[in-house]
Amino acid sequence: MLHSPVVVAAILIGAALMPLLPAFFFGVPLGADFGFHLRLAQRFSNAAGFLSYPGWSGDANLGHGDMTFRLYPLGLPALLTLGYRLTGDWIRGFMLVWGVLSFCGVWGAFRFARVYVPDRVAVWAGILWAAMPYSNFEVYEASMLGDFAGNVVLPHVFAGVARLCRFGKAKDIFPCALTYGVLLNTHVPTGLIGSLAIGVFALTALAQAPADRRGDGMVRLALALAFGGAMGLRFVTVLLSEAGWIYPIGNPPRRTFVIEENFLSFSSPSLITLTLMIVFAVTGGLNLPTAGLLAASRGLRRAAFPALLLTCVGAFLMLPVSDPVWRVIPKLKDIQYPWRWLTVISATACVSTAIGIAAIGPRVRAGGVQRLIWLGVLGVAFGCGLYNLVFGVFHLEGMAGKARAKLAEPPGYPESVSYLPKWSYEGGVYPPAMTVPAQAGERRVSAELVEPARRKFRVGAGPAEPLRVRGFFHPYWRAFVDGVPVSADNGADGMLTVGIPERETLVELRFIEPWPVQTAGWISLLAGIAAVGGTLVFQLRRFQGKRG
């Protein structure tokens, strides 16, 4: 029965919808980061004209602009904007996106597992991914929607890497490149985690591949990762060149980003770390059927080993014993929290556990004492799998009034200022609000054009003093006075200023990115078009081959 694609699809869709059930009945979970992601999507929608890539967000921070907008991948904001356009409402749009992402994660786990096992076994991997408590925590507890989106993409990346390592076929280059590029444009820490995890996974998978396929697999995997990296080149270029231009307001180091204080431990003083330790323990219970590999055939154990090894590596890197590793591996600390390796565990443990369940099945049917033992193992896993629903209901019942109220109100969140450009008030004081787009002392200023990345002001004659624009200074602003390029300056409070003559004059400001960023943008766009086109061509050929 599970050989039918329709039945498999129905099971996967049902599994994907299960984690959403508490939200359907009790309202949308509004965790700490929900407002941030909604504001980011609203800024993307306003600044981008939906399809144009926005260089600068002009409406954020009371019109001062926002550098955070440039330093956050726009994959999720674009998807939330699409959900809003389709539904006409941000909350309904979020629910639609959540459901689609949940199915994509379930489908990704299924794709990953079916590289090694038949569909009837791989479908368990999809069900288990939906039951993973970390994705439940990401949405219900903290609204870490960027993390969740990266969590969704990662199984697809591993599926592509697994196919290239095992079969070494050219047709798998484009799908693998596409998913890796999407990951890099979705969430920075998950992109870094995924890149490191790919190295561990690929070495193991290639070691298992037939000797005559290893060379092809290695070369084609390198091509796919290079192609996917090209898709993320624009964002990586912006991040590497501009990340040093921003700092937390007040400029103290945030204690939540200190690696040593975020290892998982029941003795941790941090409430979030304790919560995630519970999530880790429940994850272990959910994946207890992996023990079935002990009674499995050599072929099943071999199939499960790459995913199982990566699961163990992820678990190790979340515990205090791994502290020396964090001090040695470059850039590892940039993921901020060790417990983010739960993303890797969510993507890999479901595969080895699904194979373990397949090995347990014959032992249960055999009867005897073994049946009782294995039924007990499956019972523990089932109980831990219910954690998502129980936790979701418990969490939303506590905030049901707030959640229901937000469903009836337009989602307008007040500005939350967490970061400022480094040249704006080194002491962390927010610049004074401006009620007009620009001012020049007593001189008359009329705004002829005010767009996020382009502005025009007509300034009347008067004393020569700088035009002060409502917006943060950024090195990419270019100023033109009566068509002549002049310098755009940084005011004492970090605001954008332009020196102007005494006569009546026209001042134009354009946000122009330098050629390396523009070039990286074109490379990313062309790589993305090629990856999508190549994937569609190979899928079309595969479909035609099946029909033939």
Side-chain angles (χ1 to χ4, degrees):
M1 183 176 174
L2 281 179
H3 290 286
S4 169
V6 175
V7 174
V8 170
I11 292 174
L12 295 180
I13 291 172
L17 292 178
M18 286 294 286
L20 279 68
L21 288 180
F24 280 128
F25 288 102
F26 296 100
V28 175
L30 304 178
D33 287 350
F34 188 86
F36 167 78
H37 289 287
L38 192 59
R39 283 193 299 270
L40 204 64
Q42 290 172 332
R43 292 170 192 170
F44 176 86
S45 178
N46 295 337
F50 188 50
L51 292 178
S52 303
Y53 189 93
W56 182 258
S57 173
D59 60 344
N61 294 332
L62 306 176
H64 293 145
D66 184 18
M67 280 198 63
T68 309
F69 186 79
R70 295 183 58 79
L71 302 177
Y72 200 92
L74 295 181
L76 178 62
L79 195 58
L80 289 173
T81 298
L82 180 61
Y84 168 69
R85 297 292 174 121
L86 291 174
T87 62
D89 180 86
W90 284 106
I91 296 296
R92 293 189 187 94
F94 163 69
M95 289 295 296
L96 175 63
V97 168
W98 185 9
V100 170
L101 287 177
S102 183
F103 173 75
C104 286
V106 168
W107 177 41
F110 171 74
R111 286 187 62 230
F112 185 14
R114 75 195 300 235
V115 175
Y116 300 101
V117 293
D119 288 3
R120 60 183 175 79
V121 178
V123 73
W124 281 107
I127 295 170
L128 288 163
W129 188 93
M132 288 292 172
Y134 182 59
S135 57
N136 184 71
F137 170 86
E138 288 173 313
V139 179
Y140 279 103
E141 175 66 23
S143 290
M144 298 189 303
L145 306 184
D147 297 59
F148 178 69
N151 194 354
V152 165
V153 178
L154 199 55
H156 290 277
V157 178
F158 287 140
V161 173
R163 289 190 64 85
L164 284 171
C165 291
R166 190 173 191 194
F167 306 119
K169 295 183 178 180
K171 68 177 183 179
D172 294 319
I173 293 176
F174 285 113
C176 183
L178 179 60
T179 55
Y180 184 55
V182 170
L183 178 67
L184 295 179
N185 284 285
T186 300
H187 190 239
V188 176
T190 308
L192 178 57
I193 289 173
S195 299
L196 294 171
I198 285 170
V200 176
F201 181 80
L203 288 174
T204 310
L206 285 170
Q208 286 189 343
D212 58 339
R213 295 180 187 170
R214 288 175 191 165
D216 289 341
M218 190 178 303
V219 171
R220 287 164 180 167
L221 176 60
L223 286 174
L225 296 180
F227 222 125
M231 287 180 61
L233 184 61
R234 187 203 187 280
F235 174 71
V236 172
T237 301
V238 171
L239 185 67
L240 293 178
S241 60
E242 300 181 32
W245 297 349
I246 194 170
Y247 66 83
I249 190 167
N251 209 23
R254 293 182 63 176
R255 302 304 298 175
T256 54
F257 291 167
V258 178
I259 295 296
E260 294 79 4
E261 297 182 9
N262 284 277
F263 287 116
L264 294 188
S265 171
F266 282 117
S267 61
S268 172
S270 169
L271 179 60
I272 188 172
T273 306
L274 287 173
T275 302
L276 282 157
M277 187 64 198
I278 296 172
V279 168
F280 181 49
V282 174
T283 303
L286 175 64
N287 293 283
L288 194 60
T290 304
L293 294 174
L294 297 173
S297 65
R298 184 175 181 273
L300 286 179
R301 289 200 300 270
R302 184 178 176 82
F305 182 72
L308 180 60
L309 176 65
L310 193 50
T311 299
C312 295
V313 170
F316 169 75
L317 289 173
M318 291 186 296
L319 301 175
V321 69
S322 67
D323 183 66
V325 178
W326 287 83
R327 299 177 185 276
V328 171
I329 298 180
K331 294 295 182 181
L332 187 57
K333 285 189 175 184
D334 289 347
I335 73 167
Q336 301 170 341
Y337 307 113
W339 40 260
R340 277 191 162 130
W341 280 90
L342 279 163
T343 300
V344 173
I345 292 178
S346 297
T348 55
C350 56
V351 175
S352 55
T353 303
I355 298 174
I357 290 174
I360 288 174
R363 271 67 187 176
V364 171
R365 290 191 293 269
V369 178
Q370 281 195 31
R371 170 185 288 183
L372 296 177
I373 295 174
W374 291 119
L375 283 177
V377 169
L378 294 174
V380 171
F382 180 77
C384 291
L386 291 178
Y387 175 87
N388 274 6
L389 291 178
V390 174
F391 178 83
V393 171
F394 176 80
H395 182 77
L396 289 177
E397 276 189 330
M399 57 181 295
K402 179 181 177 182
R404 289 196 187 103
K406 287 298 179 185
L407 285 173
E409 296 173 4
Y413 285 85
E415 288 295 339
S416 175
V417 181
S418 299
Y419 293 89
L420 293 176
K422 70 174 184 178
W423 43 76
S424 174
Y425 272 102
E426 294 289 340
V429 180
Y430 192 72
M434 290 178 63
T435 58
V436 294
Q439 58 188 23
E442 299 299 323
R443 298 173 66 172
R444 177 181 54 84
V445 178
S446 60
E448 296 188 356
L449 177 69
V450 179
E451 294 179 351
R454 190 181 178 195
R455 303 172 191 186
K456 282 186 179 180
F457 303 102
R458 178 77 60 179
V459 184
E465 55 182 299
L467 174 72
R468 189 171 186 270
V469 181
R470 184 174 64 187
F472 286 129
F473 169 80
H474 191 284
Y476 297 167
W477 280 112
R478 297 291 180 264
F480 303 85
V481 174
D482 294 326
V484 179
V486 299
S487 64
D489 300 319
N490 176 16
D493 55 0
M495 301 298 284
L496 179 62
T497 62
V498 181
I500 53 176
E502 296 180 351
R503 67 178 186 276
E504 180 178 341
T505 187
L506 178 66
V507 179
E508 182 177 1
L509 290 161
R510 300 176 193 168
F511 192 87
I512 303 176
E513 295 176 321
W515 70 265
V517 176
Q518 294 186 35
T519 303
W522 280 108
I523 292 174
S524 295
L525 177 62
L526 294 175
I529 293 173
V532 172
T535 301
L536 291 177
V537 167
F538 279 114
Q539 289 300 317
L540 181 61
R541 288 181 179 177
R542 179 185 176 190
F543 177 73
Q544 290 175 339
K546 285 185 176 181
R547 290 187 63 183

